[in-house]
Amino acid sequence: MTSSILSAITLYPVKSLAGISVSSWPVVKTGLLYDRKWMLVDAAGHFLSQRKLPKMALIKTALTESHLILSASGMASLSLPLIPTDGDIISSTIWHDQCEARSVSKEADQWLSYFLKLDCRLVYQPAEMVRPVDPRYADATDNVSFADGFPFLIISENSLMSLNQAMHLNLSMTRFRPNLVISGCVPYAEDSWREISIGAIDFRLTKPCSRCSVPAIDPESAQTGKEPLTTLNRIRKWENKIYFGQNALHNQLGTLTVGDTLHVKVTGAKQPPI
């Protein structure tokens, strides 16, 4: 019997910008270290994403030991300190959550506003600013960064393979923006996982991921198409939402490494039940 293993790890330092694939990475209280630690907000402090600005997909991110680096076609790369210290504290909104955040720099705001052709600000989540996970799905001690709602999104390779077969296409996993990709399990096995371990870290999978318009955006061109939403609407729709992947919470800190073995500890009814 083939073992299920962790086949890819991706973090997204800036919410809705391009991610970074890594072979091994620390897990901290809010998830992968530096994952969604930054985000763009508009003048009212509301978060911005590819839903409104598909061009955000074209901004690449990189990390060094001391800096976050942003790059985009036609732009000089922008290097920013990993821990901003002198920005303003502003109120920001992510869906229904009100979060305090720290502004990064006027240089960053100008760079991003110029490329996106929209006035925006780059903000950072300092360590002292805690954002709890929705208590309907989490424990009181579970925290998250500027991700939509959960520290991790998990998808299996064979779920995407099955979806691609249904579409007669070969879309990349990049469109779905998972943190952790699993190989060696049947398609949509993750729908029935409730508690798993990957390496030395235990995870709770408490809520399936309902999908918005972002997977329809080609991350290489920022052009929007009909797939995979058309097919997901046909085969993965439940209660007027479409689902692909599972949100997850972690029980320990530590390090995840590509090749770590996944063990399923508790299963349950499929989420969603389709």
Side-chain angles (χ1 to χ4, degrees), residues 93-161:
T93 304
I94 308 172
W95 299 116
H96 300 296
D97 292 348
Q98 298 292 321
C99 311
E100 287 192 333
R102 187 183 295 278
S103 62
V104 173
S105 70
K106 289 184 177 178
E107 180 187 17
D109 299 345
Q110 291 169 352
W111 192 97
L112 290 158
S113 297
Y114 179 83
F115 182 76
L116 295 171
K117 303 297 186 287
L118 178 82
D119 286 340
C120 59
R121 301 181 75 181
L122 181 65
V123 298
Y124 172 82
Q125 183 192 45
E128 68 272 15
M129 294 180 183
V130 176
R131 181 187 172 211
V133 179
D134 188 332
R136 292 177 296 172
Y137 307 102
D139 297 334
T141 54
D142 289 318
N143 298 332
V144 65
S145 58
F146 291 141
D148 277 352
F150 291 84
F152 289 92
L153 174 61
I154 297 176
I155 300 176
S156 72
E157 288 182 359
N158 283 333
S159 296
L160 178 59
M161 182 181 296

Side-chain angles (χ1 to χ4, degrees), residues 239-257:
E239 293 188 344
N240 294 315
K241 293 183 179 179
I242 57 175
Y243 293 89
F244 192 75
Q246 294 288 327
N247 293 300
L249 302 148
H250 56 300
N251 294 345
Q252 297 93 14
L253 311 185
T255 300
L256 289 170
T257 300

Side-chain angles (χ1 to χ4, degrees), residues 184-204:
C185 59
V186 300
Y188 302 110
E190 61 270 32
D191 288 357
S192 62
W193 296 342
R194 292 295 175 274
E195 296 178 17
I196 63 173
S197 65
I198 303 175
I201 300 178
D202 297 322
F203 294 85
R204 290 160 282 145

